[in-house]
Amino acid sequence: MHLITTPFGYFAVFLFLAGFSVLVWKRFAWACVTALALIPFAAVRFAVGPVPFSVAEALALIVAARAVPWAFGRAFWAQARQVAAPVAIPVGLIVLGLVVSIAQSPVARTGLGILKGWFVVPILLGLVVAVAVRRGAVSRPQVLAGLISGGAIAAFGAIAQLIAGNLTYDNRLAAWYGSPNYLAMYLAPLAALAFGLGSRGSGIADEWRTLSRWAGVLTVVPLLATQSWGAIGART
């Protein structure tokens, strides 16, 4: 994790987020692709007053802010219900369990940060992107391209860590994720997605299938270096 504390760092983050905000309003589809591709930048964090945020969280919230005007139309709520219905009960139970645990925790502030960064903001981003697909504001191929790009970005960084010899005490690759299992749980489904889109039956153009297969190969290298066989087996 990299915590931004210097004035220059904050200024750079401000400029980046300001530019992204313009992209959200001008080219919403590409903003969604960018937000999904930059999920690995959850490791870059900064504080707004007492509340910590990551770059990935900030991007997700800016994308969600763009959807606020949609909420004034009936179509948005109908589309949101259609998206949420299949997962509402299990996700709701998970969040309820987290809230109960946090209420009983002596480190509630840390728990609230986990709830925000690992659940609330990702769920919000997923809901907005899914509704945007239904509205035609972004296409499914663009969403998939963003997710696979995120895996490739994380893989590049992780391979650099592997080459540099930055491994855990038991010679496993964790990169900046803090745990080999966390890295594997992010990379494993994206590797499966990349190879799935790269197959002949995926229905996409040959050049995109080739790129997807290469992204899958790139993702598999650090995935195997995590030696997280449970995460690899469960996710693939």
Side-chain angles (χ1 to χ4, degrees):
M1 184 183 73
H2 178 72
L3 180 64
I4 294 173
T5 57
T6 65
F8 176 78
Y10 271 95
F11 181 67
V13 169
F14 171 78
L15 286 181
F16 176 71
L17 295 180
F20 181 76
S21 299
V22 174
L23 180 64
V24 166
W25 287 95
K26 297 292 186 180
R27 296 288 187 272
F28 180 75
W30 287 108
C32 289
V33 173
T34 302
L36 294 171
L38 297 185
I39 287 175
F41 282 78
V44 180
R45 305 184 67 82
F46 59 96
V48 178
V51 182
F53 287 92
S54 71
V55 168
E57 287 174 351
L59 297 180
L61 292 173
I62 293 171
V63 169
R66 175 62 181 87
V68 170
W70 300 349
F72 292 96
R74 292 182 180 179
F76 172 82
W77 296 107
Q79 292 161 343
R81 284 194 297 270
Q82 291 172 353
V83 168
V87 296
I89 292 177
V91 170
L93 290 174
I94 291 172
V95 172
L96 178 61
L98 289 167
V99 171
V100 172
S101 299
I102 291 170
Q104 300 175 346
S105 173
V107 285
R109 187 172 184 272
T110 300
L112 288 171
I114 292 173
L115 179 64
K116 170 179 68 71
W118 292 10
F119 294 92
V120 175
V121 174
I123 290 171
L124 180 62
L125 176 63
L127 178 63
V128 169
V129 171
V131 170
V133 170
R134 288 180 176 270
R135 295 173 67 94
V138 61
S139 67
R140 284 184 175 86
Q142 287 174 317
V143 172
L144 296 174
L147 290 170
I148 292 174
S149 297
I153 290 171
F156 268 119
I159 289 172
Q161 296 284 309
L162 180 63
I163 293 173
N166 295 328
L167 304 175
T168 61
Y169 71 95
D170 52 353
N171 291 320
R172 299 169 66 193
L173 179 63
W176 58 91
Y177 281 77
S179 165
N181 295 332
Y182 294 163
L183 176 60
M185 285 189 289
Y186 178 64
L187 292 179
L190 297 180
L193 176 62
F195 283 121
L197 290 177
S199 65
R200 289 188 178 275
S202 63
I204 63 176
D206 289 344
E207 58 269 24
W208 290 111
R209 286 197 291 110
T210 300
L211 282 174
S212 187
R213 285 196 296 268
W214 278 111
V217 171
L218 180 69
T219 306
V220 162
V221 173
L223 178 59
L224 293 177
T226 66
Q227 302 177 45
S228 182
W229 310 121
I232 293 171
R235 298 294 175 127
T236 58

